[in-house]
């Protein structure tokens, strides 16, 4: 996976103050974790966020989103937000807050 270092740095800045934050190098990029659960990552210049299965279809109806499809297999409960949808720090933070809120609801690992 090819990821954008500037995007990784932006994600890190927003998520690192959260309780339970950590990072892991996985899938050729940095994966951002909350309480041991993967929360988000970067895919090229796009953001991958964990949104859960219950609101998944609603999230995919929002602008600049599509299923997170890595290697030809869509990951249910995960969305890819295109670079236009996270161009401002405010937009990126909105998506990361949603992902962190969902991930924080999961059992700690």
């Amino acid at each position: 996976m090819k990821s954008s270092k500037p995007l990784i740095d932006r994600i890190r800045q927003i998520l690192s103050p959260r309780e339970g934050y950590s990072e892991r190098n996985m899938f050729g990029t940095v994966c951002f974790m909350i309480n041991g659960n993967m929360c988000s990552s970067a895919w090229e210049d796009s953001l991958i966020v964990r949104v859960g299965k219950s609101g998944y279809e609603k999230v995919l109806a929002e602008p600049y989103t599509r299923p997170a499809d890595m290697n030809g297999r869509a990951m249910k409960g995960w969305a890819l937000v295109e670079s236009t949808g996270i161009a401002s720090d405010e937009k990126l933070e909105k998506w990361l807050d949603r992902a962190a809120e969902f991930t924080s609801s999961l059992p700690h690992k």
Side-chain angles (χ1 to χ4, degrees), residues 46-64:
S46 298
L47 177 70
I48 299 172
V49 288
R50 187 174 202 168
V51 295
K53 292 180 183 178
S54 66
Y56 179 66
E57 296 299 326
K58 185 177 178 182
V59 167
L60 294 181
E62 294 185 38
Y64 312 112

Side-chain angles (χ1 to χ4, degrees), residues 36-92:
N37 295 293
M38 190 172 156
C39 174
S40 67
S41 188
W43 176 268
E44 298 177 351
D45 290 329
S46 298
L47 177 70
I48 299 172
V49 288
R50 187 174 202 168
V51 295
K53 292 180 183 178
S54 66
Y56 179 66
E57 296 299 326
K58 185 177 178 182
V59 167
L60 294 181
E62 294 185 38
Y64 312 112
T65 62
R66 59 184 168 97
D69 181 351
M70 306 302 120
N71 303 320
R73 190 177 70 160
M75 301 184 321
K76 285 282 187 185
W78 292 83
L80 185 138
V81 184
E82 297 169 355
S83 59
T84 305
I86 55 166
S88 71
D89 288 342
E90 180 181 39
K91 288 179 181 181
L92 177 61

